[in-house]
Structures are given as C-alpha cells and as structure tokens.
Amino acid sequence: GELEIQGVPVNTTCMAVNETVTLAVGSHTVVFRAVDVAGNEYAVTVSFEVKFDDVPPVLVEYYPVNGSYVNTSSVDVYAVICDYESGVNEQTIQLTINGTPVDYTVTPLNQSCVMVQASVLLEDGIHTVQLYFEDLYGNQASYTWWFVVDTVPPLVIVYSPVYGAWYSSNVVYVYAEVL
C-alpha cells in the first residue's frame, strides 16, 4: 500500500499502513492507495483539519455581580461562559454556592457561548459562588465571586418633628436616625 500526505508520498512497504506524522495547524488531506499484483488500484482520500487550542474558556458575564447586594432570598444566579476556539464543554460545568453543588440549567447561546442558570433560596448573609468549566480541548477555568443577601429593610427612627404636632414657627428642627 501507499500513503500520501498533502501530495507527498510516505515510504511504506507493508500491507497495513501505520504511520505517525507531525502536521501543522490547518487543513490536510491523506490518500491511502492500494495496488494489487494485477494492477488493480483503489484509493481512499480523507480530508481533515488540525486545530490547536490552548486558550481556556472565559466568563464574560455573571449575576449577582461580585460584591453586590440583593434584597430577596430567592436569587437567580447566572453566568455566560464563552470559548471562541473549540467551544464550551457543557459536561464539565460545576456550580456551587457556599461550597454546595446546586442544580442548574445550561442554555447554548451560540456556537461559542452558553448560559448557566440556577434559582436558589438563600438566607441573609454573604454567599460565595464558584463556577468551574472547560472547553472541548480540556482547557480549564474557574471563577469565584460573592454577593450579599439582605432582606431586612433599614429602620428609621424620627425624633423631630413629632407626628401630629403643631408648630408655631416655619422653622422646624428635623432629626432622625437610620439603623
């Protein structure tokens, strides 16, 4: 049998072709050709592309924003992950809040990006989100951020003016505290 890569014959004298070749990034064509003793010829052409991706996927958007406050215990956490080389490997996504895995959905936005979404019920306090993900070539990335759930409204104590009081002057002392 004969082996031809990019139009260049590769030396082989056996009936089975088993060659390891180093190829540059780009499009390639391999032709496998066999000729029997009677001169009958058969050829198989295989075209393929060699790609190289050493760039990890990136987090391009997320909510709640790092260090932000939300005023509800029912929080929709989401993140948009993109990989413009090979794409995001959805099977590798891991989402935790305060170290605990949470259920989430993954929605493809296009060939490069996916949205990860989780609806969670959280107590007041600081919450840490960690998101781990890979691209289709195994390049890894993770991102951690935090936010605060605060469902308690501030308390306002008014000292002056007194509710319902009458004042004989158009100058009134106003004093209150916010706790």
Side-chain angles (χ1 to χ4, degrees):
E2 297 175 10
L3 175 63
E4 184 180 292
I5 300 175
Q6 300 294 98
V8 177
V10 174
N11 241 351
T12 181
T13 57
C14 60
M15 293 304 290
V17 176
N18 185 4
E19 294 284 330
T20 301
V21 295
T22 302
L23 300 171
V25 172
S27 299
H28 298 278
T29 302
V30 177
V31 178
F32 297 91
R33 184 180 339 272
V35 180
D36 64 16
V37 292
N40 297 308
E41 183 177 312
Y42 182 76
V44 176
T45 302
V46 178
S47 296
F48 59 96
E49 190 163 333
V50 173
K51 291 184 177 182
F52 183 72
D53 176 6
D54 64 350
V55 178
V58 294
L59 184 67
V60 296
E61 182 181 337
Y62 60 93
Y63 179 84
V65 174
N66 191 42
S68 66
Y69 284 75
V70 295
N71 62 3
T72 178
S73 57
S74 178
V75 182
D76 291 325
V77 176
Y78 78 84
V80 176
I81 306 166
C82 295
D83 186 273
Y84 302 104
E85 297 293 323
S86 62
V88 177
N89 184 345
E90 296 177 22
Q91 304 305 313
T92 64
I93 296 171
Q94 298 171 21
L95 178 65
T96 63
I97 298 179
N98 302 324
T100 303
V102 295
D103 291 334
Y104 59 87
T105 59
V106 178
T107 306
L109 301 177
N110 54 44
Q111 288 190 335
S112 300
C113 301
V114 298
M115 178 181 280
V116 179
Q117 295 174 289
S119 293
V120 292
L121 192 58
L122 299 170
E123 295 180 1
D124 278 23
I126 298 172
H127 300 281
T128 303
V129 179
Q130 184 164 31
L131 184 61
Y132 171 87
F133 43 95
E134 296 179 13
D135 67 14
L136 294 172
Y137 280 83
N139 296 307
Q140 304 171 0
S142 64
Y143 193 77
T144 302
W145 72 96
W146 63 273
F147 63 94
V148 177
V149 172
D150 181 0
T151 61
V152 179
L155 178 62
V156 178
I157 299 175
V158 177
Y159 298 104
S160 178
V162 175
Y163 180 77
W166 288 79
Y167 292 90
S168 60
S169 170
N170 62 350
V171 177
V172 177
Y173 177 67
V174 176
Y175 173 60
E177 282 185 290
V178 177
L179 304 176

